[in-house]
Amino acid sequence: MKKTLRILLAAVLCFALLATFVGADGGNKIGVHHEENGLAAFVDAPAADSWKYQGLNCAVENGVMNGHENKLRPDDNLTRAEMVAMMVRVLGAHTIKADIEKYIDIALNAWYYDTMQSGVAIKIINGAGNKMMPTDSITREQTFAILARTFLQTENDKSVANKFKDANAVADWAKSATNALIESGVVLGDTTNTIRPKANVTRAEFAKYLVYSKGMKANVSGFSGNQ
């Protein structure tokens, strides 16, 4: 019964995610690759009964996540650039751009140049000095902060994270976001009763978090072409 409910919840939230891609293009999905075959197009796709399947399948079918050369790399660490690209696709922020010329580690011909312009404009990501570190891996607590800021639109000062053994490992700046995502059922912890805030987040994990978070309203009220 619990497994059935989880599958139904994922399907409902996947439908909510799809709704964000209906816009000026008349309802066509944006940036979708392999939409006809879904995960079947990728040689490293997880089995249908894997916890990874629902999130990845939804992300692929709705053009949020793209693979390369028939591989989706679900277990690879998510990079900062990949995270920004997926968030920009979900929020439909492709046309919002910022000047990122000061960042010396983003080449003009990089696949992520345009999306990093959008990510900076809508304040999904910040650089450090003159570097953006686009190919660095992103941690779980950094991911929690980004998702909570984007979808929850609220501060959370509760202590629901304390039920996990490693709650004290969460950085002070990420505690509110982490508690909010736990309280909302997005972050559930693992079989060892930990949330591993300092660990890197995988592409499959991010897809799951993103689909579950999309059941909430995205905080897009401040986005404009003038940013």
Side-chain angles (χ1 to χ4, degrees), residues 121-139:
I122 62 177
K123 301 179 181 179
I124 289 175
I125 195 168
N126 296 311
N130 62 352
K131 291 187 177 181
M132 184 60 74
M133 301 158 288
T135 59
D136 282 9
S137 298
I138 192 166
T139 67

Side-chain angles (χ1 to χ4, degrees), residues 34-222:
H34 308 296
E35 67 270 24
E36 294 181 357
N37 299 316
L39 291 189
F42 301 103
V43 296
D44 56 353
D49 60 354
S50 169
W51 66 264
K52 307 171 188 177
Y53 186 87
Q54 292 291 342
L56 288 171
N57 190 57
C58 185
V60 168
E61 288 193 342
N62 289 292
V64 177
M65 180 179 286
N66 298 325
H68 180 65
E69 295 182 348
N70 294 324
K71 289 188 176 181
L72 196 57
R73 302 179 291 109
D75 299 320
D76 281 10
N77 291 336
L78 185 76
T79 67
R80 287 162 58 85
E82 289 172 338
M83 179 276 298
V84 170
M86 284 190 269
M87 291 295 289
V88 167
R89 290 167 191 153
V90 167
L91 297 174
H94 303 77
T95 61
I96 307 171
K97 303 294 182 182
D99 183 357
I100 59 173
E101 289 184 2
K102 70 176 183 179
Y103 298 113
I104 62 175
D105 56 352
I106 302 181
L108 284 171
N109 61 349
W111 69 264
Y112 46 76
Y113 189 89
D114 287 346
T115 53
M116 294 300 277
Q117 284 184 302
S118 298
V120 171
I122 62 177
K123 301 179 181 179
I124 289 175
I125 195 168
N126 296 311
N130 62 352
K131 291 187 177 181
M132 184 60 74
M133 301 158 288
T135 59
D136 282 9
S137 298
I138 192 166
T139 67
R140 290 166 60 86
E141 65 182 359
Q142 289 171 339
T143 300
F144 299 162
I146 291 166
L147 293 177
R149 184 169 64 246
T150 304
F151 296 112
L152 294 181
Q153 307 177 53
T154 183
E155 291 296 321
N156 186 299
D157 58 0
K158 298 181 181 179
S159 301
V160 292
N162 289 340
K163 65 183 178 180
F164 296 105
K165 294 190 295 186
D166 57 350
N168 290 335
V170 179
D172 288 342
W173 56 264
K175 285 182 179 179
S176 179
T178 301
N179 281 311
L181 289 182
I182 292 171
E183 187 176 42
S184 300
V186 176
V187 174
L188 304 176
D190 57 25
T191 56
T192 63
N193 195 37
T194 59
I195 50 178
R196 299 177 292 115
K198 307 300 185 188
N200 294 324
V201 66
T202 67
R203 287 164 57 83
E205 287 173 332
F206 188 76
K208 184 192 75 170
Y209 293 149
L210 194 56
V211 170
Y212 275 64
S213 296
K214 200 56 203 77
M216 310 163 196
K217 183 180 179 181
N219 182 18
V220 296
S221 59

